[in-house]
């Protein structure tokens, strides 16, 4: 560097210190938040039918209990992303934890349907902050092992779904839905309890010019991991760019024509200015540098959410014992008992999905992992274009859920990696919001069309959406496996350099 002192970036520091005790603490905290979100989502399968019989709700009123949660998440994912990018990751996820816990706990005391709708919408608003917690965790992980450890983080979602299904199986028959709502809010309260021991992301701090605070956190990581920071001075990408731009006319004069030198300097100044002005707005995601990856990511998130929640719903809808479309099928006994058992068993399909994504994500890369799982999911669903026996249907949907779970896991790893720190949580939050639209629409297909005896059309729609999502994955601009994260929008013009 110009001052003669060696410099290191946050990425280089994380690689030098490795994954150790500090990252395990961060994993445990972020994982608890993921468990909390999974439990609040899973309980929707049980609360709706319970209050429907209690308050004599119509089918539309019952479905609204689920829809308002997705609507709240749609707003929250975008809003908390902006808050996190502007005011810090810690402030972003603590606000969401407070909203989720208070609204989730109070919903257990809902005196009527309207209060339940309002409070569950607020729960969804808080749950929309899930991408903030995921991005916070991601920014502490060394690049070479980032994919594997993000898969481990995703495993907490599966743990949460299985735990909620188990809790419902035990609590609902004896204590009822109010106890289930109250107990399901406990993980969110643990986020509040241990909040004081969390650290702000050093990436966010250095981007805000708070280099001393960022260095202090990196030193804390080194002490806890029993390692040392690289020699030299902590620097940011913006400082490197400024240094390069300052030297541009003298270092590259022999490569540029006289008239091109001033143009190159002007362009570099515009790029640096762009990092400061639109970084916290939706316009930054649609800037020329980011628009391609943003639009593709929106389609992929929509497709994954649409397919994931659709497969979950199809598991019960296609084998419904009261299916009027195929009256000759043997009808089973007590549907309430089977319902808890089916949801519990189906949740285990996500474990093979996690193992597959863990095996592929760093070895084959994010793009190959996502695309192969999406295309394989299409193959599993293809026979369901026509009616199959209950056993074949369950087996095909089980395989489809394995694939879509693996793809969803990897897209949550890839999404934060393709955005710079300046807009990372905003970018992932908006993409997650688009995914929630898929979650809202999928019951119209998986439930509405199947009930209307249009199974072929329903499955065909899922096939088309999944296929388009797989094609969009192939069109992503670059692979992120093993690469450093970028901090500024201008640095995202080219794929970040690989870690050494």
């Amino acid at each position: 560097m110009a001052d003669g002192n060696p410099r290191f970036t946050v990425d280089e520091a994380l690689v030098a210190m490795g994954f150790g005790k500090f990252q395990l603490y961060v994993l445990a905290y972020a994982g608890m938040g993921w468990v909390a979100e999974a439990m609040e989502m899973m309980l929707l399968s049980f609360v709706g039918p319970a209050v429907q019989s209690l308050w004599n709700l119509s089918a539309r009123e019952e479905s609204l209990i689920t829809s308002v949660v997705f609507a709240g998440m749609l707003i929250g994912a975008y809003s908390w992303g902006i808050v996190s990018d502007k005011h810090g990751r810690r402030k972003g996820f603590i606000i969401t934890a407070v909203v989720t816990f208070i609204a989730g706990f109070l919903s257990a005391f809902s005196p009527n349907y309207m209060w339940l709708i309002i409070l569950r919408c607020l729960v969804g608003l808080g749950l929309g902050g899930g991408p903030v917690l995921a991005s916070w965790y991601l920014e502490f992980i060394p690049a070479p092992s980032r994919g594997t450890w993000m898969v481990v983080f995703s495993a907490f979602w599966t743990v949460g779904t299985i735990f909620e299904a188990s809790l419902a199986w035990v609590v609902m028959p004896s204590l009822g839905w109010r106890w289930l709502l109250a107990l399901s809010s406990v993980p969110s309260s643990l986020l509040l309890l241990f909040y004081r021991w969390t650290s702000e992301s050093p990436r966010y701090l250095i981007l805000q010019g708070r280099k001393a605070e960022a260095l202090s956190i990196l030193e804390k990581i080194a002490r806890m991991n029993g390692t040392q920071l690289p020699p030299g001075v902590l620097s940011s990408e913006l400082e490197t760019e400024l240094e390069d731009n300052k030297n541009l006319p003298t270092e590259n004069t022999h490569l540029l024509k006289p008239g091109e030198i001033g143009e190159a300097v002007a362009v570099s100044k515009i790029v640096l200015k762009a990092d400061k002005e639109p970084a916290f707005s939706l316009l930054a995601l649609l800037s020329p540098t980011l628009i391609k990856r943003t639009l593709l990511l929106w389609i992929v998130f929509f497709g994954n959410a649409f397919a994931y929640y659709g497969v979950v719903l199809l598991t019960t809808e296609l084998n419904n014992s009261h299916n009027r479309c195929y009256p000759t099928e043997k009808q089973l006994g007590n549907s309430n008992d089977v319902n808890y058992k089916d949801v519990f068993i189906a949740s285990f399909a996500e474990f093979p999905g996690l193992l597959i994504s863990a095996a592929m994500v760093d070895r084959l890369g994010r793009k190959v992992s996502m695309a192969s799982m999406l295309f394989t999911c299409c193959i599993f669903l293809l026979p369901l274009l026509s009616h199959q026996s209950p056993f074949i249907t369950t087996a095909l949907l089980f395989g489809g859920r394995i694939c879509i779970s693996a793809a969803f896991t990897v897209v949550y790893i890839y999404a934060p990696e393709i955005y710079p720190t300046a807009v990372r949580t905003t970018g992932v939050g908006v993409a997650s919001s688009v995914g929630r639209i898929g979650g809202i629409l999928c019951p119209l297909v998986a439930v509405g069309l199947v009930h209307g005896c249009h199974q072929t059309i329903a499955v065909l729609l899922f096939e088309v959406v999944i296929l388009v999502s797989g094609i969009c994955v192939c069109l992503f601009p670059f692979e992120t496996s093993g690469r450093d994260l970028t901090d500024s929008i201008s640095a995202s013009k080219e794929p970040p350099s690989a870690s050494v």
Side-chain angles (χ1 to χ4, degrees), residues 366-407:
R366 283 46 161 163
K367 293 176 61 176
V368 172
S369 300
M370 283 188 285
S372 61
M373 287 295 98
L374 288 169
F375 293 144
T376 306
C377 184
C378 285
I379 296 174
F380 274 111
L381 296 185
L382 193 60
L384 294 176
L385 288 171
S386 60
H387 182 67
Q388 306 292 333
S389 68
F391 177 79
I392 297 296
T393 298
T394 301
L396 291 171
L397 289 173
F398 194 88
R401 184 162 178 178
I402 290 175
C403 295
I404 198 63
S405 297

Side-chain angles (χ1 to χ4, degrees), residues 230-283:
V233 179
L234 177 63
S235 65
S236 66
E237 285 183 356
L238 286 176
E239 290 175 327
T240 302
E241 290 173 33
L242 288 170
E243 187 69 29
D244 292 342
N245 288 319
K246 182 176 68 175
N247 295 329
L248 182 62
T250 57
E251 292 183 358
N252 297 304
T253 299
H254 63 289
L255 299 176
L256 299 173
K257 298 177 181 179
E260 293 175 330
I261 297 175
E263 182 181 351
V265 175
V267 170
S268 64
K269 289 181 178 179
I270 292 173
V271 170
L272 291 175
K273 184 179 180 181
D275 274 322
K276 296 179 180 179
E277 292 185 355
F280 303 113
S281 71
L282 180 62
L283 294 179

